[in-house]
Amino acid sequence: MNGLVKLGVLVLFSCSVAAAANHHFIEAVRAADDVDLETDPASAFWSGAHPVYMEKDIRGKPVPGYRSEVRVRWTRNNLYLLFVCPYEDLYLKPDPNTKQETNELWNWDVAEVFLGSDFHDIKRYTEFEVSPQGEWIDLDVDLHNPHHEDGWTWNSGFEVAARVDRPAQIWYGAMRIPFSAIDARTPAPGNTLRVNLFRSQGVSYPKHKPPRPSCRPPSVRIHSVPCKQAAVASAYIRTNWPCVPATGRQYP
């Protein structure tokens, strides 16, 4: 593929019928216990989650052939995400290091999630990325700090797993993020977080210089579009018990 595809979606954890009618959210399903990370969406763990889809770039333009799936689960200790990413060509960093985090990993193909627990200061949030090769980076971002890029030295304790199915031209990336790294509260049904989800694909994206499109802090503005037409999004994650289907929402 020539150029870069930048996709995004929003995620929620909801439960009741009343919550299902709230268009600010997409469901994530509670799991009873933590599990080893796996990248098979048909596994017992991931098949219990309702997928949502990324189909548009950061300007809301449909991107045929790159309909990317996201699944989200949570436990009392961790937040789990699975990205399913079709591709034409992979743009990968040479000599990948999966033992230590890779600064500026966003210059290559990655899946990303941005999370914020502070609703009064949206310039504070965390960022997590995984590559098709299993590289990773986590950042504690403070946009009040002129050198906020130094946030990559933070260590959240999150874990990743990844694999590439070359015959099918799909790569999979999974994350397990400790709640202790993203929220001071004890994980419980009804807790709410801000979120952006993104996927980067391609070679033409410039080097990281703030503000880059994917670095927009998770906000709380909500605009509705049809289900499964999600684009760059900022919304809420709410932890709750599983019971309602997922819904997608678009942002301008």
Side-chain angles (χ1 to χ4, degrees):
M1 173 191 168
N2 294 322
L4 173 123
V5 175
K6 201 75 172 178
L7 302 174
V9 73
L10 59 88
V11 181
L12 144 82
F13 304 66
S14 63
C15 179
S16 68
V17 174
N22 189 329
H23 297 316
H24 295 184
F25 306 116
I26 295 174
E27 181 189 9
V29 179
R30 174 73 151 83
D33 299 298
D34 287 299
V35 299
D36 293 334
L37 272 182
E38 54 186 332
T39 58
D40 181 3
S43 70
F45 183 78
W46 289 119
S47 62
H50 299 287
V52 293
Y53 298 93
M54 299 184 285
E55 296 180 321
K56 297 182 180 180
D57 65 16
I58 59 174
R59 296 172 181 83
K61 180 181 178 180
V63 186
Y66 291 91
R67 186 174 190 259
S68 302
E69 177 182 309
V70 184
R71 296 180 182 232
V72 186
R73 300 206 68 174
W74 70 284
T75 67
R76 62 181 179 178
N77 297 314
N78 297 293
L79 179 66
Y80 291 79
L81 297 100
L82 175 66
F83 296 85
V84 182
C85 304
Y87 69 89
E88 292 180 14
D89 299 298
L90 290 173
Y91 182 51
L92 304 176
K93 187 179 186 296
D95 303 317
N97 182 351
T98 60
K99 302 300 182 182
Q100 297 177 321
E101 71 180 310
T102 301
N103 191 22
E104 298 190 351
L105 185 60
W106 49 79
N107 289 322
W108 312 87
D109 289 358
V110 291
E112 315 173 35
V113 60
F114 301 78
L115 295 163
S117 59
D118 189 339
F119 283 79
H120 300 286
D121 185 358
I122 67 170
K123 292 186 176 182
R124 291 300 311 271
Y125 59 94
T126 55
E127 176 180 351
F128 304 87
E129 302 181 15
V130 61
S131 81
Q133 301 180 118
E135 300 149 295
W136 54 274
I137 184 171
D138 51 0
L139 301 95
D140 185 9
V141 180
D142 181 358
L143 295 181
H144 299 290
N145 183 349
H147 301 287
H148 60 266
E149 63 272 10
D150 294 339
W152 80 273
T153 60
W154 173 64
N155 182 13
S156 67
F158 97 119
E159 300 174 67
V160 303
R163 67 181 173 94
V164 178
D165 184 340
R166 293 189 181 275
Q169 291 189 291
I170 299 173
W171 73 270
Y172 302 82
M175 301 179 181
R176 178 169 55 213
I177 303 171
F179 272 116
S180 60
I182 58 177
D183 195 349
R185 297 167 297 180
T186 300
N191 286 4
T192 304
L193 297 170
R194 309 186 328 264
V195 61
N196 287 342
L197 295 179
F198 286 85
R199 175 200 170 183
S200 297
Q201 169 76 46
V203 301
S204 296
Y205 203 59
K207 296 297 183 180
H208 173 49
K209 293 182 180 180
R212 62 188 176 103
S214 65
C215 217
R216 183 176 66 182
S219 71
V220 293
R221 297 179 299 126
I222 304 298
H223 300 275
S224 297
V225 298
C227 182
K228 298 182 180 179
Q229 296 291 326
V232 175
S234 302
Y236 305 107
I237 288 181
R238 177 175 294 161
T239 52
N240 218 323
W241 303 102
C243 60
V244 298
T247 308
R249 298 289 177 262
Q250 180 187 354
Y251 277 71

